Amino acid sequence: MEFVVTDQTAMSFASKTAPADGVVVVFAEEGPKLTPTAQDLDKKSKGLLSRAAEITGFKGKKEQTVDLLAPQGLKFARLVLVGMNKASAYSPEDWLNLGGAVRGMLSGKEAPAAHIFLETAGGVAPADIASFALGALLRGYKFKKYKTKTRKKNDAAAETNDRTLKKIVIHCADPKAAGQAFAPARALAEGVTLARDLVNEPANVLGPAEFATRAKGLSKLGVQVDVLGPKALQKLRMNALLAVGQGSARPSHVAVMQWKGAGTRGGEPIVIVGKGVTFDTGGISLKPAAGMEEMKGDMAGAACVVGLMHELAARKAKVNAVGIIGLVENMPSGSAQRPGDVVTAMSGQTIEVLNTDAEGRMVLADCLWYAQNRFKPKAVINLATLTGAVMVALGKEHAGLFSNNDELANQLTAAGSATGEKLWRLPLGPKYDKMIDSKVADMKNTGGKWGGSISAAQFLQRFIKEGTPWAHLDIAGTAMSSVDSEINRSWGSGFGVRLLDRLIADHYERR
Ligand code: BES
Ligand code: MN
Ligand code: ZN
């Protein structure tokens, strides 16, 4: 079985006795305790591997490696021995990260193929092999669409010089079972890749209309996609969303993606809403120039929703799920909204616009209202690069979680721990809600100096109906301008796709 993720390395599974060429990767646990294949290759090379391990002080610890070129007595080009500590203590996330780490080691090692013999004393479960493979694929992602010159060989930045790696073969005890377990992981790899591609894409190429077209592409997978253009949005009275986009020459859109994998017996859907500000200049409340280019990523919430819907459809998830994304460009111009403007949102509530840079909440206000009106959802979750303040509070390690429902909040937190896309819950409450009371309208769109992520969340909650379980994820610190990890070296991380896949698999799918 062979799977190819768009523009990535082909991943396949084979038996432990199948032939290998190129770079061969074997493992050792603490000790070093070499795996059977490692021992076998050590024997075939007349003790080369164990001697090299001894010389370099290799003890089978994580991040320790032994790298042999043209090993004597062996037919392939390179042999890499990788330490893994104690495999029996590995979590699924550890397997994912090991896959990422190994893929990272392969970068710059000039060979078209890598053969990885993944085994341990206790045996590796097919699901763990799938996690490893997913980690390897995600680490291999690189946004190179706009690189017109191919890199020189022996580039110091090895990571950029990995185009020669065409395929990875994972040799394991039961390749058929591993291949089956990998099918949903492959869907995840595609979903995360799609989300990263969208976040990394510059805003001159990806405006609201172009983003909607990308969403429309999901119909190939059986997702029902409806795109609402400016006329339809006016008719629906999505005036808060439209106000944000009115300064742009590029008209606002909303895309609605329905995946009905659980059929009528599955009942009402779970709805995921994403902020899709394709570029956020701040509007008339203009942002400073330094770093403004980062605001091409202000659609990462929407990118996650598209990636998730792709993933659910690609693995035929038994869930009824709807994705709704509000696509606007926040620009200053003669037609832009002004500070002091009052707009009537779709819900009928009025908003005093004190700062045109607090635009995401206005976009989400109408999308959340529309979501509840049209779908009577089991739960609504929104993702948004909503506030810089969430990074002040949590750094880039956790996304902010706000919820009116403890059960949903706990399920999300657990999914975060399981996937490594971590969440930290922050408070909501009536005193915080008061911060956005306005003298002239029902509410204002900013809540003062302190607790900026919380007042933003309170704003969203004013558009959630009594009884709708709702969670808001503020992903400003985790989805863009990402810190390097074992499974990601890209600016856009695709944060949220694996998290919500886990949530849905654990709590919303029919079995
Ligand atoms: N898109 C920004 C938030 C953001 C900042 C995301 C940095 C990623 C990185 C959002 O629209 C915004 O401008 N928020 C303001 C709100 C303020 C005007 C109340 C902020 O965080 O400063
Ligand atoms: Mn803004
Ligand atoms: Zn924004």
Side-chain angles (χ1 to χ4, degrees):
M1 254 190 282
E2 188 166 282
F3 303 101
V4 186
V5 176
T6 339
D7 198 29
Q8 283 189 354
T9 311
M11 179 71 67
S12 62
F13 302 90
S15 75
K16 289 198 225 176
T17 52
D21 60 349
V23 182
V24 169
V25 179
V26 292
F27 296 89
E29 296 189 63
E30 257 174 358
K33 208 165 84 195
L34 273 58
T35 61
T37 305
Q39 286 177 34
D40 181 48
L41 295 178
D42 187 41
K43 240 180 255 156
K44 285 198 178 119
S45 65
K46 302 208 164 63
L48 199 60
L49 194 59
S50 50
R51 269 203 344 267
E54 211 180 299
I55 290 164
T56 56
F58 178 90
K59 296 276 187 289
K61 297 237 168 69
K62 230 179 191 160
E63 284 164 32
Q64 281 189 318
T65 59
V66 175
D67 189 359
L68 299 177
L69 275 172
Q72 188 106 70
L74 302 174
K75 287 196 188 79
F76 41 83
R78 192 161 198 157
L79 176 60
V80 185
L81 175 66
V82 178
M84 59 193 312
N85 280 356
K86 237 176 87 191
S88 60
Y90 267 33
S91 68
E93 198 198 342
D94 288 330
W95 286 108
L96 183 84
N97 286 332
L98 183 69
V102 169
R103 177 65 185 84
M105 288 166 204
L106 295 172
S107 293
K109 296 196 171 33
E110 304 286 324
H115 290 257
I116 302 172
F117 289 79
L118 194 55
E119 51 191 338
T120 62
V124 189
D128 294 332
I129 297 174
S131 292
F132 178 98
L134 175 60
L137 285 179
L138 293 180
R139 177 63 176 269
Y141 173 89
K142 199 167 180 296
F143 186 69
K144 48 191 172 210
K145 188 174 167 191
Y146 298 105
K147 290 284 192 187
T148 60
K149 297 186 183 75
T150 47
R151 293 277 170 160
K152 283 194 224 83
K153 287 214 166 129
N154 306 319
D155 195 316
E159 191 85 32
T160 61
N161 195 20
D162 61 359
R163 66 188 183 282
T164 47
L165 186 62
K166 291 279 181 283
K167 73 175 188 179
I168 293 176
V169 182
I170 297 181
H171 295 254
C172 54
D174 189 346
K176 197 166 159 232
Q180 278 163 359
F182 180 65
R186 175 204 182 214
L188 266 174
E190 289 175 355
V192 175
T193 298
L194 175 53
R196 286 177 182 176
D197 278 345
L198 289 167
V199 175
N200 288 329
E201 191 72 66
N204 61 327
V205 175
L206 195 70
E210 294 80 14
F211 200 125
T213 303
R214 297 288 287 267
K216 193 94 196 161
L218 295 188
S219 37
K220 278 197 299 260
L221 294 167
V223 179
Q224 183 190 323
V225 185
D226 302 305
V227 173
L228 311 174
K231 287 229 179 68
L233 300 177
Q234 263 158 27
K235 220 164 150 196
L236 286 163
R237 294 176 213 252
M238 289 204 180
N239 297 324
L241 180 145
L242 288 167
V244 174
Q246 77 187 32
S248 171
R250 304 156 101 177
S252 304
H253 289 76
V254 167
V256 181
M257 297 154 272
Q258 298 183 63
W259 170 250
K260 297 168 184 168
T264 47
R265 284 206 297 143
E268 311 303 346
I270 179 173
V271 179
I272 317 291
V273 176
K275 170 180 173 182
V277 177
T278 58
F279 196 78
D280 180 13
T281 64
I284 295 297
S285 314
L286 194 63
K287 286 181 181 296
M292 201 203 274
E293 69 281 0
E294 302 234 311
M295 285 304 123
K296 71 170 185 175
D298 208 18
M299 30 52 73
C304 169
V305 174
V306 174
L308 177 72
M309 296 306 295
H310 174 105
E311 185 270 336
L312 292 173
R315 73 173 174 85
K316 299 199 163 43
K318 291 192 180 60
V319 65
N320 295 333
V322 177
I324 299 177
I325 52 179
L327 303 166
V328 305
E329 186 178 53
N330 189 21
M331 297 293 271
S333 78
S335 63
Q337 63 174 341
R338 295 148 290 257
D341 283 5
V342 174
V343 298
T344 305
M346 186 187 179
S347 79
Q349 299 177 93
T350 54
I351 302 166
E352 184 189 10
V353 183
L354 286 187
N355 189 322
T356 63
D357 198 11
E359 85 297 341
R361 64 200 73 182
M362 296 177 69
V363 172
L364 290 172
D366 282 343
C367 290
L368 289 168
W369 192 259
Y370 177 80
Q372 293 165 94
N373 264 2
R374 176 156 174 206
F375 294 106
K376 311 276 172 298
K378 274 198 189 95
V380 177
I381 299 170
N382 71 261
L383 302 104
T385 47
L386 204 61
T387 65
V390 80
M391 285 184 267
V392 177
L394 301 174
K396 300 194 136 235
E397 205 42 42
H398 289 82
L401 161 64
F402 298 85
S403 183
N404 62 0
N405 185 292
D406 290 344
E407 192 185 2
L408 178 59
N410 292 339
Q411 290 171 349
L412 277 162
T413 304
S417 304
T419 54
E421 295 193 323
K422 296 195 289 278
L423 304 176
W424 198 267
R425 192 174 182 184
L426 295 167
L428 291 165
K431 290 269 167 65
Y432 291 116
D433 187 66
K434 260 186 129 30
M435 294 167 76
I436 53 168
D437 284 342
S438 159
K439 288 211 173 84
V440 301
D442 295 333
M443 68 194 87
K444 51 191 184 185
N445 77 333
T446 59
K449 192 167 177 192
W450 306 111
S453 301
I454 305 177
S455 52
Q458 292 294 164
F459 185 99
L460 299 183
Q461 195 177 11
R462 290 206 185 189
F463 298 88
I464 299 299
K465 297 179 185 183
E466 190 72 38
T468 304
W470 160 74
H472 153 52
L473 309 180
D474 194 333
I475 59 173
T478 52
M480 50 189 269
S481 191
S482 316
V483 285
D484 281 355
S485 77
E486 292 293 21
I487 59 164
N488 182 45
R489 294 297 154 110
S490 147
W491 186 82
S493 64
F495 185 95
V497 176
R498 292 187 304 108
L499 170 81
L500 294 179
D501 165 72
R502 188 77 265 143
L503 176 85
I504 287 171
D506 287 349
H507 303 289
Y508 289 89
E509 276 194 73
R510 261 180 47 201
R511 276 164 218 288

